[in-house]
Amino acid sequence: QSVLSQPPSVSGTPGQRVTISCSGGFSNIGSNAVHWYQQLPGMAPKLLIYSTSYRPSGVPDRISGSKSGTSASLAISGLQSEDEADYYCAAWDDSLKGHVVFGGGTKLTVL
Amino acid sequence: QVQVQESGPGVVKPSETLSLTCTVSGDSITNYYWSWIRQSPGKGLEWIGYMYHSGTTNYNPSLKSRVTMSIDTSKNQFSLRLSSVTAADTAVFYCATGSRQVDVFDIWGQGTTVSVSS
């Protein structure tokens, strides 16, 4: 059972906007920044969003992140077939001397 | 640009100690905090812990009693030892780091698969 909760799956059609939620608590999302990773099949994860809403160089601006209270969201607009992947949220958790926690991951299917 | 490559035994027997190495190229290992992250088959990501070359470590509370990390600056290598392994430790193990903050990973190795089996 992951500390951060994500829906197991979401889906959308090309061109559509989808959001992936990530729910946590005061010690993690409520107090710290959220980061998002994309994992294509058979590949290592790739940083997609850091510090809740910042995109690393090379990540298109149709991908965005936000946070409210103890929940965060990743939004992908203009959905493309290459967006089909697993998405993970992560955050620092202040409990037990501090550690990194991940969400269980969300499989995005482009219909 | 820093690159990392994990290496390990592939198969470890139950109750034994798993040992993995992450070889860093393109930059000094002393410039980053280094983490190990694992992914069990069909499952999500689990952070194992991080280490800095100064000796500072921080381990996942759920694994702390079995984890030891070390850094060899002369070889630019980062290592993981996980003791008393069981089948539940079967996973792909990633070495990861980043230039922003200790919990942001924008540099990942390709991962090394470890199976715990007799």
Side-chain angles (χ1 to χ4, degrees):
Chain A
Q1 193 78 349
S2 301
V3 174
L4 304 182
S5 297
Q6 298 180 235
S9 63
V10 298
S11 63
T13 56
Q16 197 174 18
R17 180 179 186 271
V18 298
T19 61
I20 298 173
S21 62
C22 176
S23 178
F26 179 76
S27 62
N28 41 69
I29 295 178
S31 302
N32 299 293
V34 180
H35 320 298
W36 291 90
Y37 298 88
Q38 177 194 56
Q39 186 176 34
L40 297 171
M43 303 291 288
K46 168 191 170 185
L47 180 66
L48 211 57
I49 293 285
Y50 68 96
S51 296
T52 303
S53 59
Y54 292 87
R55 287 182 302 275
S57 174
V59 175
D61 60 6
R62 62 186 184 84
I63 294 174
S64 62
S66 63
K67 183 180 86 165
S68 178
T70 58
S71 293
S73 292
L74 176 73
I76 303 175
S77 59
L79 200 61
Q80 301 176 4
S81 58
E82 52 261 43
D83 296 326
E84 186 160 296
D86 293 325
Y87 292 83
Y88 294 90
C89 59
W92 184 260
D93 191 302
D94 292 330
S95 66
L96 299 171
K97 298 185 180 180
H99 55 287
V100 177
V101 292
F102 283 96
T106 298
K107 169 68 175 177
L108 169 60
T109 301
V110 181
L111 301 170
Chain B
Q1 173 73 345
V2 60
Q3 293 183 309
V4 299
Q5 176 70 58
E6 306 90 344
S7 58
V11 179
V12 181
K13 289 182 169 54
S15 79
E16 294 190 345
T17 296
L18 174 165
S19 295
L20 300 177
T21 298
C22 172
T23 300
V24 179
S25 59
D27 202 348
S28 172
I29 199 169
T30 62
N31 289 332
Y32 304 88
Y33 279 79
W34 294 94
S35 281
W36 286 101
I37 296 165
R38 70 179 181 178
Q39 186 170 33
S40 301
K43 300 290 179 61
L45 302 169
E46 181 179 31
W47 179 76
I48 299 171
Y50 74 61
M51 184 170 188
Y52 192 57
H53 72 93
S54 62
T56 298
T57 57
N58 190 329
Y59 301 147
N60 187 321
S62 67
L63 297 168
K64 185 175 183 177
S65 64
R66 299 194 290 131
V67 170
T68 304
M69 295 182 183
S70 60
I71 286 180
D72 186 335
T73 56
S74 67
K75 295 181 179 179
N76 237 30
Q77 290 181 332
F78 172 49
S79 297
L80 168 71
R81 287 172 58 86
L82 181 66
S83 64
S84 305
V85 298
T86 69
D89 294 308
T90 293
V92 176
F93 287 76
Y94 295 101
C95 172
T97 188
S99 55
R100 293 178 175 84
Q101 50 194 80
V102 69
D103 65 330
V104 177
F105 310 113
D106 56 3
I107 299 168
W108 295 70
Q110 64 184 30
T112 187
T113 299
V114 177
S115 296
V116 178
S117 173
S118 55

